[in-house]
Amino acid sequence: NREIRDIGELQNRIHPTYSETSRHDLLCLQWPSPPRNILLVRKEEAPDVNAALVEFANHIHATYPSLSLIFEPHVAKELCNAFDFPIFTTGHSQHAPKSALQDKVDLTSTLGGDGTILHASSLFAKVDRVPPILSFSMGTLGFLGEWKFNEHKRAFRELYMSGASAGYGSSLLQAEAQETESKMTKAPQPQNMSSAWGLGVPDKATSAALSETERATSMSPDRAMPSSRPTGWSSIRGKSMGQSRGSRVLLRNRLKVGLFAPDGSRIPSSVSETSSASSALAAGEQQSDVYAMNEVLLHRGRTPHLSIIDIFVGGRFLTEAVADGMIISTPTGSTAYSLSSGGSIVHPLVSSLLLTPICPRSLSFRPLVLPANTPITLRLSKKNRGREIEVSIDGVRRDQGLSVGMEVRVVGEDIKARNNEWIGGVPSVVRGANGGGGGEEGNDHWVGGLNGLLKFNYPFGEG
Amino acid sequence: NREIRDIGELQNRIHPTYSETSRHDLLCLQWPSPPRNILLVRKEEAPDVNAALVEFANHIHATYPSLSLIFEPHVAKELCNAFDFPIFTTGHSQHAPKSALQDKVDLTSTLGGDGTILHASSLFAKVDRVPPILSFSMGTLGFLGEWKFNEHKRAFRELYMSGASAGYGSSLLQAEAQETESKMTKAPQPQNMSSAWGLGVPDKATSAALSETERATSMSPDRAMPSSRPTGWSSIRGKSMGQSRGSRVLLRNRLKVGLFAPDGSRIPSSVSETSSASSALAAGEQQSDVYAMNEVLLHRGRTPHLSIIDIFVGGRFLTEAVADGMIISTPTGSTAYSLSSGGSIVHPLVSSLLLTPICPRSLSFRPLVLPANTPITLRLSKKNRGREIEVSIDGVRRDQGLSVGMEVRVVGEDIKARNNEWIGGVPSVVRGANGGGGGEEGNDHWVGGLNGLLKFNYPFGEG
Amino acid sequence: NREIRDIGELQNRIHPTYSETSRHDLLCLQWPSPPRNILLVRKEEAPDVNAALVEFANHIHATYPSLSLIFEPHVAKELCNAFDFPIFTTGHSQHAPKSALQDKVDLTSTLGGDGTILHASSLFAKVDRVPPILSFSMGTLGFLGEWKFNEHKRAFRELYMSGASAGYGSSLLQAEAQETESKMTKAPQPQNMSSAWGLGVPDKATSAALSETERATSMSPDRAMPSSRPTGWSSIRGKSMGQSRGSRVLLRNRLKVGLFAPDGSRIPSSVSETSSASSALAAGEQQSDVYAMNEVLLHRGRTPHLSIIDIFVGGRFLTEAVADGMIISTPTGSTAYSLSSGGSIVHPLVSSLLLTPICPRSLSFRPLVLPANTPITLRLSKKNRGREIEVSIDGVRRDQGLSVGMEVRVVGEDIKARNNEWIGGVPSVVRGANGGGGGEEGNDHWVGGLNGLLKFNYPFGEG
Amino acid sequence: NREIRDIGELQNRIHPTYSETSRHDLLCLQWPSPPRNILLVRKEEAPDVNAALVEFANHIHATYPSLSLIFEPHVAKELCNAFDFPIFTTGHSQHAPKSALQDKVDLTSTLGGDGTILHASSLFAKVDRVPPILSFSMGTLGFLGEWKFNEHKRAFRELYMSGASAGYGSSLLQAEAQETESKMTKAPQPQNMSSAWGLGVPDKATSAALSETERATSMSPDRAMPSSRPTGWSSIRGKSMGQSRGSRVLLRNRLKVGLFAPDGSRIPSSVSETSSASSALAAGEQQSDVYAMNEVLLHRGRTPHLSIIDIFVGGRFLTEAVADGMIISTPTGSTAYSLSSGGSIVHPLVSSLLLTPICPRSLSFRPLVLPANTPITLRLSKKNRGREIEVSIDGVRRDQGLSVGMEVRVVGEDIKARNNEWIGGVPSVVRGANGGGGGEEGNDHWVGGLNGLLKFNYPFGEG
Ligand SMILES: NC(=O)C1=CN([C@@H]2O[C@H](COP(=O)(O)OP(=O)(O)OC[C@H]3O[C@@H](n4cnc5c(N)ncnc54)[C@H](O)[C@@H]3O)[C@@H](O)[C@H]2O)C=CC1
Ligand SMILES: NC(=O)C1=CN([C@@H]2O[C@H](COP(=O)(O)OP(=O)(O)OC[C@H]3O[C@@H](n4cnc5c(N)ncnc54)[C@H](O)[C@@H]3O)[C@@H](O)[C@H]2O)C=CC1
Ligand SMILES: NC(=O)C1=CN([C@@H]2O[C@H](COP(=O)(O)OP(=O)(O)OC[C@H]3O[C@@H](n4cnc5c(N)ncnc54)[C@H](O)[C@@H]3O)[C@@H](O)[C@H]2O)C=CC1
Ligand SMILES: NC(=O)C1=CN([C@@H]2O[C@H](COP(=O)(O)OP(=O)(O)OC[C@H]3O[C@@H](n4cnc5c(N)ncnc54)[C@H](O)[C@@H]3O)[C@@H](O)[C@H]2O)C=CC1
């Protein structure tokens, strides 16, 4: 019915937990209760992606009727006619309470390539706890753990159900049985969320992991605002899509980036208009750091002359870089711009930052890999010939560049583990690690994909 | 008096503890009781080093009379005439109980360059707990945190006294006072080790950190075999060399390297005769892994043809490398061969392994940085043209190479923290982090040294 | 007397010849008659350079009174008060015939660095026969064969006198004697140019080398417009600065660069306003190719996205480059941007072009070295995400970029040898090859300078 | 009939000429008279190559009965039973005059890969005028211009007939017609070589190009020793394989390599036993330089320590290289070892040498491209730790290495053009440039093949 609603109407977000498993390095995602609000992000200017997006949205609506679908404003406007159910977006209603994506989105799903994932991540560039991202590629699979689009039904089901059954501890098997039972007795009357909560063994784990205020935020709305639609795991379970399993998640460490004036004062982080991140954020938040998933980049831009940048590592002066620019990258970004500039490929689980010069005038300036908790400062040198150089985050250029004396300060995001549960990073639902009791494959999605992506063993001179 | 004795006569080794400090990433070394046995390792074929070695040894003997000096057999033989006190070595006496360096050496000091440190480390290539290494450079300072030789008095005193005073917690200040007091009352009668033990606040920390069997090993000898000489911290303390401080230590992660036959059986790790490591070890131990401080290297050697090596990462096939060779390096080794081969520079505190190809025939094979706990296997491919390629560890070639089907299996050393104390790695006493209450400089020795060593900001075309 | 005059008043330019010598690869410069008009080019925004420039100009005026000094317009205006003799510039007088630098300048001298030489070369970017360039560096010596400023008296004298004596053929010795004689008889009456010409044995060589029209251009004005000042070699010869020698010249090959619209039509080559080249050129010439001394550069500029460029080599499609940009460089430019981007260092006498990608997304795209006469075309691909990418020549960005379908077509400048004399390239007077009969050092200025400039043998880890 | 004969029985070699064409950079091969002796070289240890070799040899014998087939001794022995006609080899008969390959072989054909071509070239490592090489690849095509084996009939016919007809000038068409005619009238009587000579328009060109002594050498035998078999172009022409065309040839520049003792005396160039080159050469020749097609390599070999090599360029000291080794490569070799070591790809028509370090300890030692006529000397430094390092030429290790003070002296082969005809280099019959009047494709085989071979546009992260 071509209806666009404001996300202010939606229930507040549910935070899944990420726990270690004995078998491998990836984490296991568990929903305390079924997710309800999904953000769909698409690649722009790609007609085939639009068709897939509509197909995917219709599938979700049909199979998981209790889920609400959220789109970015311009996408919602463009596609609303394609759906016979209401869709949601931000800033749509003047009447609705001002709500930001980070308060509502339970999980994000992207259709496109690496750039689309970066964009989805940028929508949460100010947020500590990013919703898990499930990404689909229309074409070839990239480095960021994309799934093939034709796997979308299975992939989404797996993520949706993750934690619903006892995937990893036999002690939960009983809770599982009980849950099934209790649902049976309660049917067919509309299931409300509090009943779902009542069953939740995972709930306890979550509670323990969250501070009291966090619990208040994430849980209260559910109790206060009962859903009127039949919803949740029970309705899905019946459908014979095989044993439900836990999704494997890679927490991708981000960079925390702040800009500072020569006098040491912080500069508000308005990013270029091409990013919709800022629009979604309240004014007050502008004063904080911004997170980057790939890298922060300083570059001479259109100035034809070399940039001169002073580099401080761990509070100490390292060197003066004379170069096209400097990259500070995450391990995730090590296969992006940093790789083109001669950086090494760093596994996403190596807790580190990369400092990679672009076309440095010194032949001996080699890429560095530093501990993730090392603070790095890049300051535009007084010797720099131009007035300003450019600053970009994850491929989006800031309107305001770095002028002489200004600094970019960077440190790796602090990923905390509390009682074996993890907070921080961009939780990426990883392909190919889908064996519930299985998981034998460990972090193979990366190793397995590497040769395919890089053609390491492609000798020159032979076909 | 030109006397060489066997280390079997010496008291057993004392294990220091390494604890985290709030201020920076380096660890703080604490001796539970004064060290007694020091191994001195020199660079070979360098006459000026010999002179320095004799000077250093004489200084130690004069200033720390309770310390016994250990040399490698050929050095002991060569230098014994230079001393008027007995020195110690291994395998010298048929009568003495067969003793290995790792049972006796409290600390190692090297005079030479990076290669000398590598050699010293190789003497403990089979040992989990390497004695701390204090290294002096005769010429330019390298990457491994060497001290200038003219700093040897201060540097050694600092290490010797480390933990004797309460360097880092005000709670220890009282114990310090008591210690001084009790020593005063006890003097001038010969101080025995057990009295030193009785004072030891550090003792408790140590005890807690060690398993019962470890305690038995490290502590019993002290109690059983009282030293007849006046010894220990008290005698040194009086000398006015300023406030004693705690030495800063970098635990350098090593690689655990094993060789396996095509049938999966382990191959004994006899290293080339140029290393004396094997000689110092009992036969039974030959079956275990060997530790590498820099890297393990596979190389075509004199075969003029490219090697073909199958690489498995985390148990999965990554690629077939067609190259001169492959390096698996520690972060410490990232500035050695790996750097020459195009690898990135990795900070020693980034827990990781580097997989760097040497002159690969594929243009796209880039160096990889993997989590330290990733098992890596290199197997000589059946496609390899030659019969065998060479295997070297830290610059020492094994007599036996890798033949077709044989494997090198590598994983990062497991550095364990128990109750804020650390075990494993090569404890390197780091220069420039010597401020007792100070230590403000953090891990600067690395950052500060980097530009000096690499001349990052040396632009071409300008002098 | 603070007077600025227009170069239209000056006599037309004299073309030296460049001939091979048996001993080495550099050419030997010979003036058919003494040079008269010298262009002085300085580095901008460098106060110490200004002082040196004034010192140098005053020295020339005092020592070589027949020489006229030409400056760029803004420099003439800024410095005219510093001189008590008239100086010349372009476009200064409405009355003077419209004259371009290339019609008047006999030789150019630069004070500054590599960038100043590039700028001087750009003033002749449309000209086949560039006047010889003698460059002085204020600071460190660069790759382009600069002389130290404190050598300026000797260096200039050498260049000025080059060919005046019989440096290389005994047959000229007599002419030399006659010349001296005839000058003596003629003195003290003002010497006119035609008398100088009459003596000129070199003249014949020149005539032979030049086409009739070229002769007309270069020689007629001299005859038509007798100089009123005493001038030429004779006045200098007396001064005891030692035996005059021939200057050694390296003809630096340039690139010929043309821009073409998608429909194949040529695009006028207006360069950015920062270059004064265009201003000096007549409108009609705009339609021709432009010469580059270092390189032509395509670059994404401020677009944060990768450029996509189709590359054609020798008329055939080579590949689609996905990269920050592409460099087509001369051997001279091989030590500039191309080197920072991973290109090899190519000796200026290797007749070749370099095709070097900047931060390519393909790991296997290696720099190529192609024959100088290979035509290369770079076309912005339809797949490129942005509308336009940037085009720069020798570090100067064109106002108009390359839009989709547009092409940059490049080929190496054709350096022709006629009867052992050479035409084309940027004749660079090279330092350190100053032995008249000597010249034993061959092209050493390059080899000798290389290690100094690149610190090839600067091992990492040692000071 | 399983018969092996000695090449001493064969007529002396015929030298083709190589002339420039207006259309492109490749040369055009012309036989003065039909070739008679073909050397077939195969890859070792490759059964499928053997089958192809037999097929190819039988085809040649059947189609070109006047051709004699030469094999290397061990191949002749192995394969003679496969043929029912006599084959030839070297050193087979004590009675035959001692003959070397270079006196007899008109053309060489290889079956295998790049290594096989290198081996074939090494058989003429002491010879100025290498016979043209036509190479076939069994698998993928390499960089050296191989043809697919299934093209062997057409490719061989083209080479055999090259120059027989007027391929490139209409003025020759008549000669062509006459030739056909005269053959018709002369048939069927056995054609002798002198009649072939009589027809030869190319003959005149050749005669002009050759000195009298050269003519004597190359032509006399033909006249003196008439072939008894029907032979030559006429018999082939009738067969309808289309218009005959001229083969395109790339003259691959080689390196001239000499070894010298510390006292400056030349060291005989016995190469390792794996090369049969030496065996074919008379003792006296051992004193001369050896030619390399790819590169000369110095390498630490099995010594685990870095080599220290002093480098002199153009007679001047450049630098001391501390590295695994040094490569001096031809442009042809730029896609071999040099490329793996970080060198640029240099087009075979760029007259140059590459100096590429292998794993240098200096970060700033970049590959150099020098003029082909620059003499380069590599001397093992006195500082080198080991006694000796290894010397290899084109992948074949010399038995004797380079000891301290010994030198390798290298200079590019001098390729001379006389009256538009070329002498020197390895004449490689190039694929894909087969259009007689055509030839539009220029040197495309290289450009066209490059992307296929290197996958330049293979972006990482996309399939
Ligand atoms: N020369 C280069 O290599 C440049 C790279 N970039 C990279 O592009 C990113 C922005 O992406 P888009 O907006 O799509 O720009 P884009 O359209 O220019 O494409 C960038 C390319 O990078 C790939 N990519 C992005 N993140 C990656 C990752 N983590 N690992 C491997 N490949 C990755 C994409 O698949 C795409 O092929 C930036 O974060 C930067 O890393 C941006 C400019 C130049
Ligand atoms: N790490 C490396 O890249 C090494 C390369 N080589 C090269 O191998 C050559 C000897 O060849 P083989 O006896 O077959 O040894 P090989 O069996 O080790 O194979 C060398 C590889 O190099 C290729 N190759 C040879 N010449 C080439 C050229 N000019 N351009 C492109 N590829 C080329 C061959 O196709 C083969 O793939 C040497 O001249 C040297 O250049 C030798 C040792 C190590
Ligand atoms: N990342 C890089 O390496 C970049 C290099 N450039 C180079 O700068 C040149 C323009 O020079 P400026 O206007 O002075 O710009 P600039 O002020 O940015 O300085 C360029 C640097 O390149 C050096 N240089 C210029 N030509 C050289 C040559 N042929 N060989 C060795 N060094 C050379 C100069 O000495 C100076 O250090 C361009 O032609 C381009 O080659 C320009 C931008 C970036
Ligand atoms: N092409 C190369 O770069 C080669 C390097 N090596 C390295 O040499 C090491 C053995 O050392 P030596 O016995 O002294 O052999 P060596 O006498 O060949 O010297 C090796 C050089 O590496 C330096 N080095 C050693 N470890 C280092 C580290 N961790 N960081 C920075 N520099 C370091 C030494 O200071 C010395 O300059 C091997 O572990 C290997 O890493 C060995 C062979 C070749």
Side-chain angles (χ1 to χ4, degrees), chain C residues 162-242:
Chain C
S162 193
S165 72
Y168 318 102
S170 53
S171 68
L172 297 185
L173 281 176
Q174 237 178 351
E176 168 82 356
Q178 284 167 8
E179 180 187 14
T180 314
E181 226 172 284
S182 65
K183 260 177 302 183
M184 285 177 154
T185 59
K186 282 181 175 170
Q189 80 218 47
Q191 197 184 22
N192 66 30
M193 270 347 254
S194 49
S195 79
W197 273 107
L199 296 167
V201 173
D203 180 24
K204 293 201 195 91
T206 314
S207 316
L210 298 175
S211 69
E212 281 308 301
T213 52
E214 279 171 322
R215 284 176 67 180
T217 316
S218 63
M219 291 160 62
S220 308
D222 295 324
R223 300 215 160 113
M225 200 167 59
S227 160
S228 57
R229 289 165 293 158
T231 183
W233 291 322
S234 58
S235 58
I236 308 304
R237 179 142 345 197
K239 317 204 171 171
S240 57
M241 293 182 75

Side-chain angles (χ1 to χ4, degrees), chain C residues 25 313-314 316-322 338-347 349-354 360-374 441 443-451 454-462, chain D residues 25 313-314 316-322 338-347 349-354 360-374 441 443-451 454-462:
Chain C
D25 294 330
V313 171
R316 288 177 59 98
F317 178 66
L318 172 66
T319 194
E320 171 194 280
V322 182
S338 172
L339 184 57
S340 305
S341 306
S344 287
I345 296 171
V346 180
H347 193 286
L349 289 174
V350 175
S351 174
S352 58
L353 300 182
L354 289 81
R361 186 117 186 99
S362 159
L363 294 181
S364 53
F365 199 154
R366 282 291 183 84
L368 299 183
V369 182
L370 298 165
N373 62 358
T374 311
E441 305 117 21
N443 47 12
D444 51 280
H445 87 97
W446 195 82
V447 169
L450 208 54
N451 193 19
L454 297 180
K455 298 279 176 287
F456 272 6
N457 61 352
Y458 195 100
F460 42 88
E462 294 177 26
Chain D
D25 294 330
V313 171
R316 290 176 59 97
F317 178 66
L318 172 66
T319 194
E320 171 194 279
V322 182
S338 172
L339 184 58
S340 305
S341 304
S344 286
I345 297 170
V346 180
H347 192 286
L349 290 174
V350 175
S351 174
S352 59
L353 299 181
L354 289 82
R361 186 116 185 100
S362 159
L363 294 182
S364 54
F365 199 153
R366 282 291 183 87
L368 298 184
V369 182
L370 298 164
N373 62 356
T374 311
E441 307 115 20
N443 47 13
D444 50 281
H445 87 98
W446 195 81
V447 169
L450 209 54
N451 194 18
L454 297 178
K455 297 282 176 285
F456 272 8
N457 60 354
Y458 196 100
F460 43 89
E462 296 178 24

Side-chain angles (χ1 to χ4, degrees), chain A residues 300 303-307 322-325 358-361 385, chain B residues 459-462, chain C residues 113-116 118 142-144 146 252 293-295 297 331-341 393-396:
Chain A
R300 61 178 182 84
T303 318
H305 300 296
L306 288 152
S307 315
V322 182
D324 266 13
I358 304 175
C359 297
R361 187 113 186 102
R385 272 175 76 163
Chain B
F460 43 88
E462 295 177 25
Chain C
D114 296 335
T116 314
L118 289 177
F143 279 89
L144 300 184
E146 292 95 333
R252 295 188 176 276
M293 189 178 173
N294 264 353
E295 78 276 287
L297 165 73
T332 290
S334 73
T335 46
Y337 207 161
S338 172
L339 184 57
S340 305
S341 306
I393 290 179
D394 287 351
V396 178

Side-chain angles (χ1 to χ4, degrees), chain A residues 114-115 118 143-144 294-295 332-333 335-337 340 394-395, chain C residues 300 304-306 323-324 359 361 385, chain D residues 462:
Chain A
D114 296 336
L118 289 176
F143 280 89
L144 301 184
N294 264 354
E295 78 277 287
T332 290
T335 45
Y337 206 161
S340 305
D394 288 350
Chain C
R300 61 179 182 83
H305 301 296
L306 289 151
D324 266 15
C359 297
R361 186 117 186 99
R385 270 175 77 164
Chain D
E462 296 178 24

Side-chain angles (χ1 to χ4, degrees), chain A residues 253 331 415:
Chain A
N253 291 230
I415 299 216

Side-chain angles (χ1 to χ4, degrees), chain A residues 361-362 364 369 455-456 460, chain B residues 345 361-362 364 455-456 460:
Chain A
R361 187 113 186 102
S362 159
S364 54
V369 182
K455 296 283 176 283
F456 272 9
F460 44 89
Chain B
I345 297 170
R361 187 117 185 99
S362 159
S364 54
K455 296 282 177 283
F456 272 6
F460 43 88

